[in-house]
Amino acid sequence: MWLMYPQQMPYPVRPYPPVTWGRGAVGTVGVGRDDQVSGEAVALDLPAASFGLRILSGVIDLILGYLVLILGIYLSFKLAYDVDDALFGACLTVSTVVAFAAVPTTWETLTRGKTLGHVILGLRTVRDDAGPIRFRHALTRAMIGVVEIYTFFGVPAMICAAVNRRNKRIGDLVAGTYVIRERFKISLPEPIPMPPALVLWARAADIAALPDPLAVSVRQFLNRREAYNPAARSALAERLIFAIAPFVAPAPPPQAPAEDVLAAVMAARRERDSARLAREDRLRTRLLR
């Protein structure tokens, strides 16, 4: 198939609308809202904890909170019941704050997002951008948890998690966090092989860094192309060729199949990223000696 790139055409090329492949597609091609992109142009989804795991983790934390409260009440009776009513009331108040707010906030802050239930079940609380939570996130979750979990025994939290895509409770919505499964094995597909006929061109070509959504879109097409009918497969290949053309120079050899060009670009991208990471690793090794 003869390919003509935008710079070879005598007329302007109208840009194609974005592709909406995969789950949770947004205004970019191929990448969902929960996805992070690896160097292999693979969208990695940080899996949110299931509704059942959230409930079980919450029950464990609820039990821990009430045990701490019972211990605080016991100490309050021992230390202040026979001394002064005001002091006894203050001790009870402090015990409640420590059990329901201070302990979970401190625990989540020090463990970067883990409660006792999370530790047991292999979960972790992260920010919406998948980064580690900080003190303000833990405090917000704990303060709202006093109402939604301890005051109403978790009913508002369960209702909110049941209707939320990431199984978030109200505290997660306010704090901008969600809970992920930490014990999760990510399986990566096989790398795209370099077409032998385009090895020399790909290694000599100037291939700029592709935007992550575009790289993921090309990767998904190459992995799924056998499932398309010939007409759709050809149309999608040409569509992606137009999308990557501004990032590649010079143009590939005339009559090069579109799918081979896409595969060559992805394979070259992988080889160059691997070489760059190897150089950086050697540099770090020399500097740390």
PDB file of all heavy atoms in Angstrom, residues 225-235:
ATOM      1  N   ARG A 225      -5.150  -5.954  15.972  1.00  0.00           N
ATOM      2  CA  ARG A 225      -5.469  -5.792  14.556  1.00  0.00           C
ATOM      3  C   ARG A 225      -6.094  -7.034  13.937  1.00  0.00           C
ATOM      4  O   ARG A 225      -6.872  -6.930  12.996  1.00  0.00           O
ATOM      5  CB  ARG A 225      -4.208  -5.406  13.784  1.00  0.00           C
ATOM      6  CG  ARG A 225      -3.007  -6.311  14.026  1.00  0.00           C
ATOM      7  CD  ARG A 225      -1.778  -5.783  13.343  1.00  0.00           C
ATOM      8  NE  ARG A 225      -0.568  -6.408  13.890  1.00  0.00           N
ATOM      9  CZ  ARG A 225       0.643  -6.173  13.444  1.00  0.00           C
ATOM     10  NH1 ARG A 225       0.811  -5.314  12.439  1.00  0.00           N
ATOM     11  NH2 ARG A 225       1.700  -6.755  13.983  1.00  0.00           N
ATOM     12  N   GLU A 226      -5.766  -8.214  14.444  1.00  0.00           N
ATOM     13  CA  GLU A 226      -6.329  -9.434  13.871  1.00  0.00           C
ATOM     14  C   GLU A 226      -7.838  -9.518  14.093  1.00  0.00           C
ATOM     15  O   GLU A 226      -8.526 -10.255  13.381  1.00  0.00           O
ATOM     16  CB  GLU A 226      -5.658 -10.659  14.490  1.00  0.00           C
ATOM     17  CG  GLU A 226      -4.154 -10.716  14.274  1.00  0.00           C
ATOM     18  CD  GLU A 226      -3.780 -10.788  12.799  1.00  0.00           C
ATOM     19  OE1 GLU A 226      -4.607 -11.291  12.013  1.00  0.00           O
ATOM     20  OE2 GLU A 226      -2.678 -10.347  12.441  1.00  0.00           O
ATOM     21  N   ALA A 227      -8.353  -8.777  15.057  1.00  0.00           N
ATOM     22  CA  ALA A 227      -9.789  -8.849  15.348  1.00  0.00           C
ATOM     23  C   ALA A 227     -10.622  -7.950  14.445  1.00  0.00           C
ATOM     24  O   ALA A 227     -11.850  -8.057  14.432  1.00  0.00           O
ATOM     25  CB  ALA A 227     -10.040  -8.477  16.809  1.00  0.00           C
ATOM     26  N   TYR A 228      -9.983  -7.055  13.694  1.00  0.00           N
ATOM     27  CA  TYR A 228     -10.720  -6.123  12.833  1.00  0.00           C
ATOM     28  C   TYR A 228     -10.959  -6.738  11.460  1.00  0.00           C
ATOM     29  O   TYR A 228     -10.160  -7.555  10.976  1.00  0.00           O
ATOM     30  CB  TYR A 228      -9.943  -4.811  12.665  1.00  0.00           C
ATOM     31  CG  TYR A 228      -9.776  -4.015  13.933  1.00  0.00           C
ATOM     32  CD1 TYR A 228      -8.539  -3.926  14.560  1.00  0.00           C
ATOM     33  CD2 TYR A 228     -10.854  -3.352  14.506  1.00  0.00           C
ATOM     34  CE1 TYR A 228      -8.377  -3.203  15.725  1.00  0.00           C
ATOM     35  CE2 TYR A 228     -10.703  -2.622  15.660  1.00  0.00           C
ATOM     36  CZ  TYR A 228      -9.461  -2.550  16.268  1.00  0.00           C
ATOM     37  OH  TYR A 228      -9.322  -1.832  17.420  1.00  0.00           O
ATOM     38  N   ASN A 229     -12.032  -6.310  10.827  1.00  0.00           N
ATOM     39  CA  ASN A 229     -12.225  -6.706   9.433  1.00  0.00           C
ATOM     40  C   ASN A 229     -11.254  -5.906   8.570  1.00  0.00           C
ATOM     41  O   ASN A 229     -10.750  -4.855   8.991  1.00  0.00           O
ATOM     42  CB  ASN A 229     -13.676  -6.502   8.995  1.00  0.00           C
ATOM     43  CG  ASN A 229     -14.106  -5.041   9.049  1.00  0.00           C
ATOM     44  OD1 ASN A 229     -13.492  -4.172   8.422  1.00  0.00           O
ATOM     45  ND2 ASN A 229     -15.173  -4.761   9.800  1.00  0.00           N
ATOM     46  N   PRO A 230     -10.928  -6.383   7.361  1.00  0.00           N
ATOM     47  CA  PRO A 230      -9.872  -5.739   6.556  1.00  0.00           C
ATOM     48  C   PRO A 230     -10.093  -4.246   6.315  1.00  0.00           C
ATOM     49  O   PRO A 230      -9.141  -3.463   6.371  1.00  0.00           O
ATOM     50  CB  PRO A 230      -9.919  -6.537   5.246  1.00  0.00           C
ATOM     51  CG  PRO A 230     -10.449  -7.878   5.640  1.00  0.00           C
ATOM     52  CD  PRO A 230     -11.437  -7.612   6.734  1.00  0.00           C
ATOM     53  N   ALA A 231     -11.332  -3.839   6.051  1.00  0.00           N
ATOM     54  CA  ALA A 231     -11.580  -2.424   5.759  1.00  0.00           C
ATOM     55  C   ALA A 231     -11.312  -1.554   6.978  1.00  0.00           C
ATOM     56  O   ALA A 231     -10.638  -0.512   6.883  1.00  0.00           O
ATOM     57  CB  ALA A 231     -13.017  -2.239   5.282  1.00  0.00           C
ATOM     58  N   ALA A 232     -11.827  -1.967   8.143  1.00  0.00           N
ATOM     59  CA  ALA A 232     -11.608  -1.193   9.372  1.00  0.00           C
ATOM     60  C   ALA A 232     -10.136  -1.203   9.763  1.00  0.00           C
ATOM     61  O   ALA A 232      -9.588  -0.190  10.214  1.00  0.00           O
ATOM     62  CB  ALA A 232     -12.462  -1.754  10.497  1.00  0.00           C
ATOM     63  N   ARG A 233      -9.492  -2.326   9.562  1.00  0.00           N
ATOM     64  CA  ARG A 233      -8.068  -2.435   9.903  1.00  0.00           C
ATOM     65  C   ARG A 233      -7.223  -1.483   9.065  1.00  0.00           C
ATOM     66  O   ARG A 233      -6.353  -0.776   9.587  1.00  0.00           O
ATOM     67  CB  ARG A 233      -7.629  -3.884   9.690  1.00  0.00           C
ATOM     68  CG  ARG A 233      -6.178  -4.174   9.991  1.00  0.00           C
ATOM     69  CD  ARG A 233      -5.953  -5.668   9.935  1.00  0.00           C
ATOM     70  NE  ARG A 233      -4.537  -6.006  10.036  1.00  0.00           N
ATOM     71  CZ  ARG A 233      -4.075  -7.250  10.149  1.00  0.00           C
ATOM     72  NH1 ARG A 233      -4.931  -8.259  10.184  1.00  0.00           N
ATOM     73  NH2 ARG A 233      -2.782  -7.481  10.218  1.00  0.00           N
ATOM     74  N   SER A 234      -7.508  -1.449   7.765  1.00  0.00           N
ATOM     75  CA  SER A 234      -6.760  -0.550   6.881  1.00  0.00           C
ATOM     76  C   SER A 234      -7.025   0.912   7.214  1.00  0.00           C
ATOM     77  O   SER A 234      -6.111   1.739   7.245  1.00  0.00           O
ATOM     78  CB  SER A 234      -7.126  -0.845   5.419  1.00  0.00           C
ATOM     79  OG  SER A 234      -6.490   0.054   4.553  1.00  0.00           O
ATOM     80  N   ALA A 235      -8.293   1.241   7.490  1.00  0.00           N
ATOM     81  CA  ALA A 235      -8.645   2.630   7.793  1.00  0.00           C
ATOM     82  C   ALA A 235      -7.990   3.096   9.088  1.00  0.00           C
ATOM     83  O   ALA A 235      -7.466   4.217   9.175  1.00  0.00           O
ATOM     84  CB  ALA A 235     -10.162   2.772   7.884  1.00  0.00           C
TER      85      ALA A 235
END
